[in-house]
Amino acid sequence: ADLYTSVGSHKSALDLFEKLEMWEDQVLALIGIGRYEAAEKLTRDLIAKEATPKWYCILGDTTQDITHYETAWELSEFTSARAMKSLGYHYFNTKNYTKALECMQKSLECNHLQGGLWFTTGCTAMAIPDYATGAKCFTTSVNIDDENGQSWSNLGACHERLGNLERAHNCYKEATRHSFDNWRIWENYICSAVRIQHFTSVIVSYKQILNLGHKYADPKILNCLVSAVVNNTPSIDGKPGISFFDRVLELFKFASSKVTTSDHLWKCYATLYLEVPGRENLSLGIDYLIKGYHACSLTIEKSVENYLQCGQYGEMIFKFVSREEKDSATYGRHLQSLSTILQILITKGHKLMEVTDESEQKEAIRECLGECKGFLEKVEELMLYT
């Protein structure tokens, strides 16, 4: 009968429970096949024979009438963990989180070893929000079951809100051990690593998120890594930021092979070659800026903001092409690419001017157009000598 129940065959299970006179399981099987009236009638018949807290709780499950849980609580002389647990779940489902927390805590006082309820109580506390209580609940939850990755992750979230950033990071790390294939938990881990400047963890977790098939390109994370290297910001363990250059470069190479349409990723990748003292590679940096522009231009006509963002790429590319050695093997190609980009920006800008009504946006477009035309004149002049 239990096997039938486990595979959802409640009708077959019901027949066996009837023969075995396993009344509670019989009621649950009736509920499972949607025979609520029959389940209620059987439960009331059993209560008529013996009124116990358990049967009143089951009657509450059958009728969805919470007064039966309250009756069970009183009948048990305030010791029925089941009654308060069910009442707590009811209030949780109706989003009365304060009342739900009160009921769940009473249930846990009656029976401390309810791992699942400790987790739900913690979630309820977070919804209020009461992060101190949430942290206590999830701490107990992981003490009962230390392989519950979600409990570790939620415990980390509570500590984070309480300002315990290193403790939160350690909790998230533990969560990734038990939920290795959950990219959202890895995302929590990477965000906590950024907050405490644990750059090794940022790199490791970023790569794992990509390995899990998620096309991840969070600007804040990318900026953190690039800023650490460019500004030589020390990691939490004291390592200078520049020491992470090769690992960050390797990560960006891997990330750009997985996520090709993130302009911010390409811009950050370019920055590593353009702005890290002693590690400059102007040619590669410009190549990646051009790829950044092409990724950004996919939405160039979506809004004025998107157009202006593409305009910024045109300005950056012009800035660095102007610095490139004239005898460089890529100089002529970069000039040609830049010329094409500027012509497109000018054409798109004029079209936007015709359909834009706001004066501020028109002025921004007009300013961008003026810069692009000025850049194009200089580029065409340079192209005469290449």
Side-chain angles (χ1 to χ4, degrees), residues 37-55:
E37 291 183 3
E40 181 181 352
K41 182 179 183 305
L42 176 57
T43 306
R44 290 189 183 279
D45 290 344
L46 293 166
I47 288 174
K49 294 178 183 178
E50 183 183 9
T52 64
K54 179 181 76 172
W55 289 119

Side-chain angles (χ1 to χ4, degrees), residues 27 30-31 35-44 59 62:
V27 171
L30 286 167
I31 294 172
R35 293 175 57 187
Y36 298 105
E37 291 183 3
E40 181 181 352
K41 182 179 183 305
L42 176 57
T43 306
R44 290 189 183 279
L59 184 59
T62 305

Side-chain angles (χ1 to χ4, degrees), residues 3-62:
L3 181 60
Y4 279 132
T5 301
S6 68
V7 297
S9 183
H10 298 289
K11 181 64 174 66
S12 299
L14 177 61
D15 296 336
L16 294 175
F17 287 137
E18 286 176 349
K19 292 178 182 178
L20 295 167
E21 297 186 353
M22 296 174 66
W23 309 119
E24 181 177 354
D25 295 290
Q26 190 177 334
V27 171
L28 295 176
L30 286 167
I31 294 172
I33 59 176
R35 293 175 57 187
Y36 298 105
E37 291 183 3
E40 181 181 352
K41 182 179 183 305
L42 176 57
T43 306
R44 290 189 183 279
D45 290 344
L46 293 166
I47 288 174
K49 294 178 183 178
E50 183 183 9
T52 64
K54 179 181 76 172
W55 289 119
Y56 271 104
C57 286
I58 293 173
L59 184 59
D61 295 340
T62 305

Side-chain angles (χ1 to χ4, degrees), residues 164-178:
N164 307 322
L165 299 185
E166 287 192 44
R167 188 178 294 181
H169 181 70
N170 291 334
C171 290
Y172 287 133
K173 183 177 182 180
E174 194 68 23
T176 62
R177 289 182 57 219
H178 303 295

Side-chain angles (χ1 to χ4, degrees), residues 318-333:
F318 176 81
K319 170 185 172 183
F320 288 105
V321 169
S322 299
R323 297 179 186 178
E324 196 171 9
E325 295 291 337
K326 304 299 183 289
D327 57 355
S328 168
T330 57
Y331 180 66
R333 174 168 59 84

